[in-house]
Amino acid sequence: MPDQPPPPPPSSPYTDSVRAYYAAQPSPLVAATGIVLDPRGRVLVLTTSYKADLELPGGGVEDTETPEEGLARELKEELDLSVPVGRLLAVDSRPPGPLGRSLVVHVHLVGPLTPEETSAISFPDGEVTEARWLTPEEAYAALGARKASRLRAALAALYSGSLAHLIEGVPQPGSPAGFDPARRAELEHAGAYDTAGHRAARPKALTAASVLFTDSAGGVLLVRPAYGDPDHWNLPGGGIDSDLGEIPRAAARREVLEELGLDLAPGRLLAVNWSHRPGYPARVRFLYDGGTLDATTLARIRLPGTELLAWRAVPPPELRRYTKPSLRRQIEASLTARTAADGPVELHAGRPVDRPDNA
């Protein structure tokens, strides 16, 4: 009698009884909400046929969907929008309500939508009857308290590049974003934070390193980015990979090599600049002296085409045409520190801290 083929491997390592056990366990309902923005930073708020209160786009996550998949489906069904679901901004949870189940809500960024996408919004399933674009302040006033708090915390997470941890719409003490700074300070002074919560809640700063090169005529070497506003030129340099243990001086050398194709050790530190916009992380820039580059060295410059479009040496009186005011002030202060063999100079938005300048 010929040998019988072996039985096929089981499709799952779990038995029926194990699967039935887990299927019967209580679990929270899961929903996904979209913070849908337009190019002006306005928020999409919906009027629905089934609720008196205004809503943010989104809904329940079904079957085996991920929150991202559930939100994408809801955007298509409710608004006829087929757009990518962006990064996670907040996670909110709520104890059991009328349905007897707890709820977990994932809040994601959607957009900013293009003008074409905003004009194409429609209401194919009839659940949404009106869509309005409101400023964040208008949306806070129009939405219910829990949703307004959720929106406020999500936008705080968006602008700080972080994540908000909420319970019933309220940011928790260890939340990296959205928690009231004054209340955080009270808890810190009272010793109420554990180490992990304190580290998560502390404000963060972005760090960068730049190098000031000049040519033989005294022109400042600037590079034109292929991203952002191409009319605003930059110094060679970029972000410090502090999560990898990189120090500012090493970052300056790496960025010059990547951007200009020149392996040159930075000279002395000329200035440290601190800048800040409310709601955003502070930015700290270390500015190093790159010295004067001769014609032979300048001819060896090779730009990464995907990141930089051009370079040029700009005479200091013409910097105003090429750079943002803050960067112009940083360059001018660094040139002064270089000439005077002084420094490093402490700057705030390009202005020397001990010599305020309203230029």
Side-chain angles (χ1 to χ4, degrees):
M1 181 177 180
D3 293 337
Q4 296 294 318
S11 59
S12 169
Y14 304 116
T15 64
D16 290 344
S17 61
V18 170
R19 288 196 296 271
Y21 170 81
Y22 280 104
Q25 298 309 300
S27 60
L29 300 173
V30 179
T33 293
I35 307 301
V36 183
L37 301 181
D38 73 355
R40 295 165 55 187
R42 295 182 302 177
V43 181
L44 187 65
V45 176
L46 308 179
T47 301
T48 68
S49 60
Y50 54 89
K51 279 187 179 180
D53 295 335
L54 294 176
E55 291 285 331
L56 295 168
V61 177
E62 298 178 355
D63 300 324
T64 59
E65 289 179 330
T66 65
E68 293 84 353
E69 291 169 340
L71 178 55
R73 174 184 49 75
E74 288 283 346
L75 292 171
K76 179 62 178 175
E77 292 176 355
E78 292 185 344
L79 303 172
D80 201 22
L81 269 178
S82 296
V83 293
V85 172
R87 76 175 186 86
L88 182 65
L89 298 176
V91 176
D92 194 4
S93 61
R94 192 177 73 193
L99 297 179
R101 301 281 292 277
S102 60
L103 175 68
V104 175
V105 182
H106 287 227
V107 184
H108 286 265
L109 172 66
V110 178
L113 302 186
T114 66
E116 293 76 19
E117 289 167 338
T118 60
S119 63
I121 289 175
S122 62
F123 316 127
D125 66 2
E127 290 190 356
V128 175
T129 58
E130 183 185 14
R132 286 185 285 165
W133 294 100
L134 304 179
T135 66
E137 290 73 21
E138 291 170 341
Y140 302 150
L143 292 165
R146 182 185 293 115
K147 290 184 174 63
S149 179
R150 189 179 292 164
L151 171 63
R152 190 186 303 272
L155 290 177
L158 169 63
Y159 298 129
S160 65
S162 192
L163 180 75
H165 168 211
L166 315 175
I167 296 178
E168 295 195 87
V170 178
Q172 298 304 290
S175 176
F179 193 65
D180 179 63
R183 178 60 179 151
R184 184 199 70 226
E186 290 178 8
L187 294 175
E188 288 177 340
H189 296 155
Y193 270 116
D194 61 18
T195 301
H198 180 262
R199 185 167 57 245
R202 288 299 302 166
K204 311 300 188 290
L206 303 177
T207 55
S210 298
V211 182
L212 177 69
F213 293 108
T214 52
D215 67 3
S216 59
V220 177
L221 193 152
L222 298 180
V223 291
R224 187 182 190 189
Y227 50 86
D229 186 346
D231 291 330
H232 287 149
W233 294 53
N234 297 324
L235 288 172
I240 300 169
D241 291 335
S242 55
D243 56 335
L244 301 178
E246 188 174 54
I247 64 174
R249 181 173 293 276
R253 183 168 188 167
R254 172 182 55 78
E255 286 286 343
V256 168
L257 179 59
E258 292 176 357
E259 294 189 345
L260 303 181
L262 302 176
D263 187 10
L264 302 173
R268 67 186 182 90
L269 182 65
L270 296 174
V272 177
N273 183 73
W274 175 280
S275 62
H276 176 251
R277 289 173 59 193
Y280 289 79
R283 293 177 177 269
V284 182
R285 186 201 301 261
F286 296 79
L287 295 105
Y288 292 93
D289 188 0
T292 299
L293 302 183
D294 57 26
T296 301
T297 304
L298 291 171
R300 291 179 16 230
I301 291 177
R302 297 293 182 269
L303 302 180
T306 57
E307 185 177 352
L308 299 175
L309 301 175
W311 71 269
R312 67 185 304 158
V314 177
E318 298 181 20
L319 288 171
R320 192 180 296 269
R321 292 174 48 197
Y322 293 91
T323 64
K324 293 181 179 179
S326 175
L327 179 57
R328 172 180 59 82
R329 293 192 294 265
Q330 293 173 57
I331 294 172
E332 292 171 345
S334 296
L335 288 171
T336 300
R338 178 205 258 188
T339 303
D342 193 12
V345 182
E346 182 184 356
L347 306 174
H348 180 203
R351 298 181 174 92
V353 171
D354 57 342
R355 290 183 286 112
D357 180 3
N358 294 322

